[in-house]
Amino acid sequence: DAGITQSPRYKITETGRQVTLMCHQTWSHSYMFWYRQDLGHGLRLIYYSAAADITDKGEVPDGYVVSRSKTENFPLTLESATRSQTSVYFCASTGQGSNMNTEAFFGQGTRLTVV
Amino acid sequence: QKEVEQNSGPLSVPEGAIASLNCTYSDRGSQSFFWYRQYSGKSPELIMSIYSNGDKEDGRFTAQLNKASQYVSLLIRDSQPSDSATYLCAVYSGGYQKVTFGTGTKLQVIP
């Protein structure tokens, strides 16, 4: 199916463990993003990618790592999970080639709980 | 100071009324403005985009942009209970800048 999908939808992990959240899009969109959404903060950008092998930090990158070896995939890794990283994570992409100035399509979200 | 500000609400309106949602932004160079709707437990979905001063209408929705005053608003006419959601304002400022989201306004449409 066409679209942008995230996995897993729900994840519980322990403090200190490494966790990887997956994001896959089928539109060949150039730009992809990872956001976290917390009460009182809204959506905050963690990392974004303009194309394969091009990534850059957003507003809250500490503790996270991304990679983009293929256009369609943009995994987010928490190197050593902390309780403050408990959040809902959204992956998004924008289309129309290299133009970032367009509608963003969001994945279903991953609810991550760090205990 | 937040770059994009919205009143968190909740904004309660009776069914059939006009709901007015407002957003202000700090970057005068902002180029594009978006309204997303987010139902509880779901992901945001785009409902309106506006790029130039004035009004843009799409069905029951009207987006209004005033760059001189740095605000953008969303009007929902004939509000329905199904419009009850959180509405996120998003602003794009050009170049490799990210799209910045406001914290959202929760709208409740009372039957």
Side-chain angles (χ1 to χ4, degrees):
Chain A
D1 288 340
I4 182 166
T5 55
Q6 294 181 233
S7 61
R9 292 292 312 279
Y10 303 91
K11 176 74 175 177
I12 299 175
T13 191
E14 295 179 339
T15 301
R17 290 195 179 268
Q18 183 179 83
V19 177
T20 296
L21 310 183
M22 305 301 293
C23 179
H24 175 79
Q25 53 105 350
T26 60
W27 294 302
S28 298
H29 285 172
S30 293
Y31 279 89
M32 296 187 73
F33 310 85
W34 274 106
Y35 293 92
R36 60 178 290 174
Q37 188 173 39
D38 306 285
L39 277 174
H41 291 282
L43 283 162
R44 292 183 291 173
L45 183 67
I46 304 170
Y47 270 94
Y48 69 95
S49 169
D53 297 322
I54 301 175
T55 63
D56 205 352
K57 297 177 180 179
E59 183 182 356
V60 288
D62 293 344
Y64 303 95
V65 174
V66 294
S67 63
R68 196 162 175 210
S69 57
K70 294 183 178 181
T71 300
E72 60 267 29
N73 296 323
F74 190 38
L76 175 74
T77 297
L78 287 67
E79 296 181 292
S80 178
T82 65
R83 291 193 179 90
S84 65
Q85 292 176 310
T86 293
S87 186
V88 179
Y89 291 84
F90 287 104
C91 179
S93 69
T94 57
Q96 298 181 14
S98 61
N99 187 358
M100 201 172 161
N101 186 23
T102 56
E103 171 182 357
F105 295 88
F106 285 82
Q108 318 96 303
T110 295
R111 184 174 294 275
L112 177 67
T113 302
V114 183
V115 298
Chain B
Q1 182 182 1
K2 291 186 177 178
E3 298 175 25
V4 179
E5 296 216 33
Q6 297 180 255
N7 188 316
S8 60
L11 172 66
S12 294
V13 300
E15 184 174 355
I18 296 175
S20 177
L21 305 165
N22 300 312
C23 170
T24 59
Y25 59 94
S26 60
D27 186 349
R28 284 195 172 275
S30 298
Q31 302 174 2
S32 309
F33 308 85
F34 308 93
W35 283 100
Y36 287 82
R37 178 176 61 200
Q38 186 176 24
Y39 292 113
S40 180
K42 302 295 185 181
S43 58
E45 58 176 331
L46 183 76
I47 54 172
M48 289 289 288
S49 57
I50 187 166
Y51 304 97
S52 55
N53 279 330
D55 295 358
K56 179 182 178 182
E57 187 174 320
D58 184 1
R60 296 187 295 113
F61 298 97
T62 299
Q64 300 175 317
L65 175 61
N66 184 322
K67 289 186 176 181
S69 301
Q70 294 176 246
Y71 83 78
V72 57
S73 62
L74 179 70
L75 301 178
I76 306 175
R77 290 182 300 281
D78 188 24
S79 294
Q80 301 297 308
S82 59
D83 295 325
S84 298
T86 296
Y87 290 80
L88 306 174
C89 174
V91 176
Y92 172 67
S93 300
Y96 282 91
Q97 291 294 318
K98 62 188 183 295
V99 172
T100 304
F101 285 82
T103 54
T105 298
K106 185 173 184 178
L107 173 67
Q108 295 176 340
V109 181
I110 311 300

